[in-house]
Amino acid sequence: VVVVSTSGFDGDEAATWLRLAAVVELLPGVLDSRLRREADLTHFEYVTLAMLSEAPERTLRMSALAAATNATLPRLSHVVSRMEKRGLVQRTACPSDGRASNVRLTDDGQERLIDAAPGHVATVRHLVLDALSREQLAQLSTIADAILGRVDPDGAMTAFCRRPVEAGTAAGSARGR
Amino acid sequence: VVVVSTSGFDGDEAATWLRLAAVVELLPGVLDSRLRREADLTHFEYVTLAMLSEAPERTLRMSALAAATNATLPRLSHVVSRMEKRGLVQRTACPSDGRASNVRLTDDGQERLIDAAPGHVATVRHLVLDALSREQLAQLSTIADAILGRVDPDGAMTAFCRRPVEAGTAAGSARGR
DNA sequence: AAAGATTGACTGTTCAATCTTC
DNA sequence: GAAGATTGAACAGTCAATCTTT
């Protein structure tokens, strides 16, 4: 009698989980190493810059940026400190709330992002999007949303990418089985 | 004109990628923290022990174990060193090849795995499997396999969890678009 | 006292260099 | 010289503790 990784799962479940686990294990590494080579940027740093570039005034509060990037505040704070030293972003005090910090994308940061974007988009396209049919893309979208509903039930971090409300009720509508 | 994270993707692609990226970002953290709390084990350590427990003699070569866990050799080597200090595994010289190392799961390691397994299985079930219908599980399996075909085209690391060959040709059969 | 954020210490990963055996 | 593996330094992430403003 062996208690193995795949015990407690029936055959199909085990195979599916093993594959998803492999994707989750390998994808970040590939994304990171390509971006580091081509733009000296972590994938997380790239996403951070990208979120700032979309914001009004290229500026966001730390907590808003953390939510947009699915990160904890301590993690983001460290990353912002490093990027600030490199001149890619800049911290500024929030005028309306003395406790809060704003982060602004600098011109250098914007340039760096613009340089990195085409290669990164191509990578994502090549690794994920082009591998799937249109139908599979739709399936994946629904599936990923369902998993996010479990991993982050309150939408604390994933508000930005979760499925919009389908009918009637306001934000935070009923979810899940 | 803004070059953003979601530029270069059309609407559906962007939403799908954002969600998949969020899953990939958040899932490992949740898995890790639950396992650490309940069994003082990393998710990667758990998988390592689990793979050893399934092997004959509970023993595997470093390179085989690296392939089974989707890890690089340096990473695995560090992890094995730590677990060896804790008495969960043991290194032994490979009799047939002087360059190779074997790793064996100790009785203590087996016990630890048996203690950890039910909780971990429940976590995976709760976060992923139970969130999806039978049909979605099948879809996810196919989708994850397709992505692995791009992320690790040679199957260097994912031989264990890739879809078995469907027809005729030997291992390394045609794959891709 | 709670919200917003930062810091420091610790753990874990990565990368290049190294060592040994084939 | 290539395969198998290990090592050490640099880097990124996590957690608990802290500080300030509300």
Side-chain angles (χ1 to χ4, degrees):
Chain A
V1 175
V2 193
V3 175
V4 292
S5 64
T6 53
S7 272
F9 302 135
D10 70 27
D12 283 356
E13 286 178 335
T16 303
W17 168 239
L18 277 179
R19 280 177 199 159
L20 176 59
V23 170
V24 159
E25 184 76 39
L26 295 175
L27 197 47
V30 177
L31 257 24
D32 266 347
S33 63
R34 295 211 188 186
L35 264 171
R36 295 206 55 142
R37 252 185 324 192
E38 295 170 13
D40 191 31
L41 242 33
T42 305
H43 181 238
F44 181 73
E45 290 172 338
Y46 177 91
V47 172
T48 303
L49 297 182
M51 290 303 170
L52 286 176
S53 85
E54 293 178 20
E57 319 259 347
R58 294 189 201 157
T59 300
L60 239 31
R61 268 160 97 121
M62 286 294 288
S63 43
L65 187 53
T69 56
N70 304 318
T72 60
L73 227 23
R75 179 184 182 188
L76 180 63
S77 184
H78 282 306
V79 170
V80 165
S81 295
R82 282 176 229 139
M83 291 204 290
E84 197 171 18
K85 273 177 202 145
R86 299 200 268 154
L88 303 177
V89 300
Q90 197 170 15
R91 272 188 244 248
T92 63
C94 176
S96 59
D97 187 336
R99 299 168 299 180
S101 297
N102 286 334
V103 195
R104 205 183 125 274
L105 183 64
T106 64
D107 289 347
D108 281 5
Q110 173 91 334
E111 258 185 64
R112 181 73 70 94
L113 179 63
I114 290 176
D115 288 349
H120 179 62
V121 169
T123 300
V124 171
R125 198 172 271 301
H126 177 249
L127 291 179
V128 178
L129 301 176
D130 285 355
L132 306 176
S133 68
R134 229 151 233 298
E135 195 184 1
Q136 287 177 316
L137 279 175
Q139 294 168 354
L140 177 56
S141 191
T142 304
I143 289 168
D145 191 53
I147 294 174
L148 287 178
R150 300 302 185 95
V151 170
D152 177 30
D154 304 330
M157 317 189 114
T158 54
F160 287 81
C161 54
R162 299 288 285 282
R163 182 175 295 290
V165 184
E166 348 247 283
T169 64
S173 70
R175 162 179 311 287
R177 29 171 345 88
Chain B
V1 174
V2 193
V3 175
V4 292
S5 65
T6 53
S7 273
F9 303 135
D10 70 27
D12 282 357
E13 286 178 336
T16 302
W17 168 240
L18 276 179
R19 278 176 200 161
L20 177 59
V23 169
V24 158
E25 183 76 39
L26 295 175
L27 197 49
V30 177
L31 257 25
D32 265 346
S33 65
R34 293 211 188 185
L35 264 171
R36 294 208 56 144
R37 253 186 325 198
E38 294 169 14
D40 192 30
L41 242 33
T42 305
H43 181 238
F44 181 72
E45 290 172 339
Y46 178 92
V47 171
T48 302
L49 297 181
M51 290 302 171
L52 285 174
S53 86
E54 292 177 18
E57 318 260 347
R58 292 188 202 159
T59 300
L60 240 32
R61 268 160 95 122
M62 286 295 287
S63 42
L65 186 53
T69 56
N70 304 317
T72 60
L73 227 23
R75 178 185 183 187
L76 179 64
S77 185
H78 280 130
V79 170
V80 165
S81 295
R82 281 175 232 140
M83 290 204 290
E84 197 172 19
K85 273 179 202 147
R86 299 200 269 158
L88 303 178
V89 299
Q90 198 169 13
R91 271 188 245 247
T92 64
C94 177
S96 58
D97 186 335
R99 298 169 296 178
S101 298
N102 286 333
V103 195
R104 205 184 125 273
L105 182 66
T106 64
D107 289 348
D108 280 5
Q110 173 91 335
E111 259 184 63
R112 179 74 70 94
L113 179 63
I114 291 175
D115 287 349
H120 179 61
V121 169
T123 300
V124 171
R125 200 173 270 303
H126 177 250
L127 291 180
V128 178
L129 271 14
D130 285 355
L132 305 176
S133 69
R134 244 171 212 288
E135 197 185 358
Q136 287 178 316
L137 279 175
Q139 293 168 354
L140 177 56
S141 193
T142 304
I143 289 168
D145 191 52
I147 294 173
L148 287 178
R150 300 301 185 95
V151 170
D152 177 29
D154 305 331
M157 314 189 117
T158 55
F160 288 80
C161 54
R162 300 286 285 283
R163 183 175 296 288
V165 184
E166 347 246 282
T169 65
S173 70
R175 162 181 310 286
R177 51 178 324 95

